[in-house]
Amino acid sequence: MKPTSKELLEEVSKHCSNQITHYTFNKTTLLVSDKYKEGRLAALKYVGELTFYYLQEEKSIKHKLREQILKQMQQNSCLNDNDYKDGLYDALNDVLDEMVRKA
């Protein structure tokens, strides 16, 4: 089974942290130049920060989805009361209720 986006980001972050530790504290056992190590550490730190950013974005998806659904409901509040509007609101409210149950 493929990992979720969150699991993938966490694995990449863990890998970067392990590699940063390895290249920072193994000064005598690594047979690489200081410039190579500097470049590698810069890349690992960048990817680590990037994964942190996307993990934070992933946490906010539920909130953003809820906001968009509520915005859609507000935008359609001007519709005349009829079966279409009832169906629209029933479906959007069902989705909101499901989100609350899964939280």
Side-chain angles (χ1 to χ4, degrees):
M1 187 161 125
K2 285 187 175 183
T4 64
S5 296
K6 181 180 178 185
E7 291 168 341
L8 176 66
L9 290 169
E10 288 171 343
E11 284 299 315
V12 170
S13 178
K14 182 179 173 182
H15 174 76
C16 288
S17 294
N18 290 339
Q19 289 289 299
I20 288 170
T21 300
H22 178 74
Y23 278 89
T24 300
F25 297 108
N26 287 313
K27 298 182 190 276
T28 57
T29 59
L30 290 176
L31 301 174
V32 296
S33 70
D34 286 342
K35 285 293 182 184
Y36 175 87
K37 188 174 13 175
E38 185 180 320
R40 188 159 180 121
L41 286 169
L44 291 166
K45 288 175 184 175
Y46 168 75
V47 174
E49 291 170 2
L50 202 56
T51 57
F52 176 78
Y53 170 80
Y54 282 111
L55 282 167
Q56 296 305 309
E57 283 292 305
E58 191 272 336
K59 288 179 183 177
S60 70
I61 287 174
K62 180 181 174 186
H63 177 71
K64 289 178 181 179
L65 177 61
R66 183 178 182 280
E67 283 181 347
Q68 286 299 314
I69 291 170
L70 293 173
K71 182 178 175 182
Q72 182 68 25
M73 292 174 82
Q74 193 266 336
Q75 287 176 344
N76 288 300
S77 65
C78 63
L79 293 175
N80 292 329
D81 289 336
N82 57 33
D83 287 347
Y84 177 82
K85 184 176 179 179
D86 291 343
L88 185 73
Y89 273 71
D90 285 348
L92 294 174
N93 280 315
D94 284 349
V95 171
L96 290 173
D97 290 344
E98 186 65 23
M99 289 173 65
V100 170
R101 278 194 293 273
K102 299 285 182 179

